[in-house]
C-alpha cells in the first residue's frame, strides 16, 4: 500500500532536520513554561536514535524492553482500531507480519546506534519490573542519570499511582494468534535483541 511504501521511504531519510524542528518547538514551549528537565515519551524515537542524539547530545534515554511477541500483539491491537475505523477491516496475519518487520528494524537500528555511541546515555527498563514496581523503577532511573529525587516528585507519583483510572474497566486484551504471531518464530527473529536484554 501507499502507507507502507511511505514508511519504507521514511526509514531511509536523514531525520536530523526533523529533530531540529522538534527542538525548536520544545524551546517555544519552554519559553512559556520554563522547566529544568523534560520527560518525553515517544516509542517512535527507536527508529531514529542517531538523529535524536545528533540534535540532543545530552538526552537521557530510557529504553523499555518487553518480550517481543506480547509487544507486537499489543501494538497490532492498537493499530487495528484505526484500520477498522478508516478501512473497515484488516488482515490480521498480514498486519502481524508487517509490525514484526517494523519492530525488528527499529530494535536493530537502535542497537546499532548504541554500539556506535556507547551505553552511557541509556537506561534499560524491563517492562515487567516497570509494571510491578513503577516507583522503584523511577528511583533507579534517577540514580542512573544522577537526577535528584524530590519528596514532591515522589508524592505526585504516589498520588498518580493510587488514583483509580477512568479506563480501568476497559482493559487492553489481545491475542497474538489473531495476528498470525507464533512466539517461537518471533523469538527467533528477535534472538539478538532477546539475548542482549535478557527477555526470556
Amino acid at each position: 500500500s501507499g502507507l507502507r511504501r511511505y514508511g519504507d521511504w521514511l526509514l531511509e531519510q536523514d531525520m536530523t532536520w526533523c529533530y531540529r524542528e522538534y527542538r525548536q518547538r520544545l524551546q517555544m514551549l519552554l519559553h512559556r513554561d520554563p522547566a529544568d528537565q523534560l520527560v518525553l515519551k515517544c516509542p517512535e524515537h527507536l527508529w531514529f536514535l542517531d538523529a535524536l542524539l545528533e540534535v540532543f547530545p545530552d538526552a537521557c534515554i530510557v529504553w523499555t524492553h518487553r518480550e517481543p511477541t506480547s509487544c507486537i500483539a499489543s501494538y497490532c491491537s492498537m493499530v487495528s482500531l484505526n484500520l477498522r475505523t478508516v478501512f473497515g477491516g484488516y488482515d490480521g496475519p498480514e498486519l502481524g507480519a508487517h509490525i514484526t518487520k517494523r519492530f525488528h528494524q527499529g530494535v536493530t537500528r537502535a542497537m546499532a546506534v548504541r554500539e556506535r555511541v556507547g551505553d552511557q546515555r541509556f537506561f534499560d527498563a524491563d517492562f515487567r519490573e516497570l509494571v510491578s514496581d513503577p516507583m522503584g523503577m523511577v528511583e533507579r532511573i534517577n540514580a542512573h542519570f544522577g537526577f535528584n529525587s524530590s519528596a514532591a516528585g515522589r508524592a505526585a507519583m504516589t498520588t498518580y499511582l493510587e488514583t483509580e483510572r477512568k479506563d480501568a474497566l476497559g482493559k487492553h486484551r489481545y491475542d497474538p494468534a489473531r495476528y498470525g504471531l507464533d512466539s517461537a518464530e518471533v523469538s527467533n527473529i528477535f534472538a539478538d535483541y532477546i539475548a542482549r536484554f535478557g527477555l526470556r
Side-chain angles (χ1 to χ4, degrees), residues 11 17 19-20 24 26 36 50 54 62 65 71 74 80 101 116-117 123 125 131-132 136 143 180 182 190:
L11 288 173
W17 70 271
Y19 278 98
R20 288 195 182 107
Q24 280 189 325
L26 293 174
D36 293 329
D50 51 352
E54 174 70 25
V62 177
H65 302 287
C71 186
S74 174
S80 72
K101 174 187 172 185
R116 196 164 58 252
V117 305
F123 178 88
V131 170
S132 66
D182 176 86
F190 287 85

Side-chain angles (χ1 to χ4, degrees), residues 14 49-50 68 72 91 102 120 126 153 166:
D14 178 1
L49 283 181
D50 51 352
I72 293 166
D91 180 322
R102 280 289 190 252
Q120 65 275 9
D126 187 298
K166 293 179 181 177

Side-chain angles (χ1 to χ4, degrees), residues 22-161:
Y22 180 47
R23 182 178 62 193
Q24 280 189 325
R25 302 299 185 274
L26 293 174
Q27 288 169 333
M28 290 165 63
L29 292 171
L30 288 171
H31 179 72
R32 295 188 63 171
D33 190 8
D36 293 329
Q37 179 177 307
L38 295 176
V39 179
L40 306 167
K41 178 184 176 186
C42 181
E44 284 72 25
H45 290 314
L46 187 69
W47 283 260
F48 305 105
L49 283 181
D50 51 352
L52 182 149
L53 289 170
E54 174 70 25
V55 178
F56 299 97
D58 58 345
C60 299
I61 299 169
V62 177
W63 186 351
T64 305
H65 302 287
R66 185 178 180 188
E67 186 278 317
T69 304
S70 297
C71 186
I72 293 166
S74 174
Y75 194 81
C76 285
S77 175
M78 290 188 295
V79 169
S80 72
L81 296 175
N82 288 332
L83 294 176
R84 287 198 304 266
T85 301
V86 176
F87 300 110
Y90 65 96
D91 180 322
E94 194 274 336
L95 177 61
H98 174 68
I99 298 301
T100 299
K101 174 187 172 185
R102 280 289 190 252
F103 274 34
H104 187 252
Q105 287 173 314
V107 299
T108 300
R109 288 165 67 121
M111 287 169 64
V113 170
R114 284 185 69 158
E115 283 293 315
R116 196 164 58 252
V117 305
D119 290 333
Q120 65 275 9
R121 305 263 31 117
F122 294 85
F123 178 88
D124 297 302
D126 187 298
F127 179 77
R128 296 163 294 191
E129 294 176 25
L130 176 62
V131 170
S132 66
D133 182 19
M135 186 73 82
M137 181 62 75
V138 170
E139 293 291 341
R140 291 194 294 279
I141 292 168
N142 285 339
H144 179 81
F145 289 121
F147 298 149
N148 292 326
S149 182
S150 69
R154 287 192 297 276
M157 187 168 175
T158 298
T159 299
Y160 171 81
L161 292 171

